[in-house]
Amino acid sequence: MDMTVIHRRIESDIERRILSGEWRPGHRLPTESELMAEYGCARMTASKAMSGLAARGLVTRRRRAGTIVAHPPLHSAALVAIPDIQVEVEGRGLAWSHRLLARTVRAAGEAEAWLADGGRVIELETLHLADDAPFVHERRLISLTGAPEAETADFREQAAGSWLLAHTPWTEAEHRISAVGATGEVAERLLLPPGAPCLRLERRTWRDGLGVTWAWQTFPGDAYDLVARFQPTKA
């Protein structure tokens, strides 16, 4: 099996246990050797998965002490993971595929200046499918300042979200979640009647203070579950 798929699966499995509360802050994670035995992978693959989780703030790696579930910052009310759509679909036992519907390279607009730092962006429209049925419609902007390698990436081969998680780990993210009705072209792409209930996830991510991507993902109302872990703030 492709090592990239295995490391994403390791990340997804651990992430689900953390966000569900099964593994609470301070819980010690399996060692790289234990992950190698469980998933039948190389040490480099296990290490890459743990590094990805650490970069997203889900775990803390300590020399000699091992890797533990991170304690969220006190100012954080909730921790919402950034999902890998392919992993989400395959985790349900369905076959994932995607269609790149449009790709444009252009100058950033005024409202997008935070993202491109005054430069160019790639605008993508993608449809993710589960067993060949529409699962989520995605519109995404990628900064060519924050992720210059994206200009030559083949997003017909690998979906942009998966590519970004693998190549440009984020250090800060913002989610906005809305209940919306399906309209226009999005309704057509998802094969939904106008006004059908949907969940829209708007996400912005940064790496070391530099804007990387801005995405809008629209799911049919019964296709997505939001999982978050909450911690009361302390005085």
Side-chain angles (χ1 to χ4, degrees), residues 221-234:
D222 59 354
Y224 187 72
D225 297 316
L226 173 66
V227 179
R229 185 179 71 223
F230 295 85
Q231 178 182 0
T233 57
K234 297 181 180 180

Side-chain angles (χ1 to χ4, degrees), residues 37-213:
E38 180 177 352
Y39 290 90
C41 65
R43 183 176 297 277
M44 182 181 298
T45 301
S47 178
K48 185 175 181 180
M50 296 301 244
S51 295
L53 291 164
R56 293 160 58 194
L58 291 172
V59 304
T60 301
R61 307 186 79 179
R62 297 175 179 171
R63 183 174 297 181
R64 298 181 183 175
T67 303
I68 64 171
V69 177
H71 291 266
L74 294 181
H75 67 269
S76 176
L79 179 61
V80 179
I82 291 184
D84 184 319
I85 300 299
Q86 180 176 351
V87 173
E88 289 281 320
V89 170
E90 292 175 346
R92 302 179 184 207
L94 305 174
W96 170 87
S97 59
H98 79 292
R99 299 175 191 159
L100 179 62
L101 304 174
R103 177 188 183 278
T104 305
V105 178
R106 59 173 175 79
E110 183 177 351
E112 302 155 0
W114 68 271
L115 177 65
D117 196 23
R120 296 178 302 147
V121 295
I122 298 178
E123 182 171 4
L124 303 168
E125 182 186 5
T126 304
L127 184 65
H128 297 262
L129 302 105
D131 280 355
D132 293 325
F135 183 74
V136 56
H137 176 274
E138 176 180 289
R139 175 175 173 255
R140 180 183 296 272
L141 301 176
I142 301 175
S143 164
L144 288 176
T145 303
E149 302 90 345
E151 188 162 12
T152 57
D154 186 355
F155 294 122
R156 294 168 300 179
E157 180 68 24
Q158 183 178 23
S162 299
W163 186 92
L164 285 163
L165 287 172
H167 291 82
T168 312
W170 56 277
T171 57
E172 183 181 354
E174 175 186 280
H175 285 86
R176 183 182 301 275
I177 300 157
S178 308
V180 299
T183 59
E185 192 171 77
V186 173
E188 293 179 10
R189 302 293 197 197
L190 294 173
L191 303 181
L192 296 174
C198 294
L199 182 145
R200 183 170 64 201
L201 177 59
E202 177 186 348
R203 180 187 306 113
R204 302 197 297 170
T205 63
W206 293 259
R207 180 171 176 79
D208 299 328
L210 184 64
V212 174
T213 188

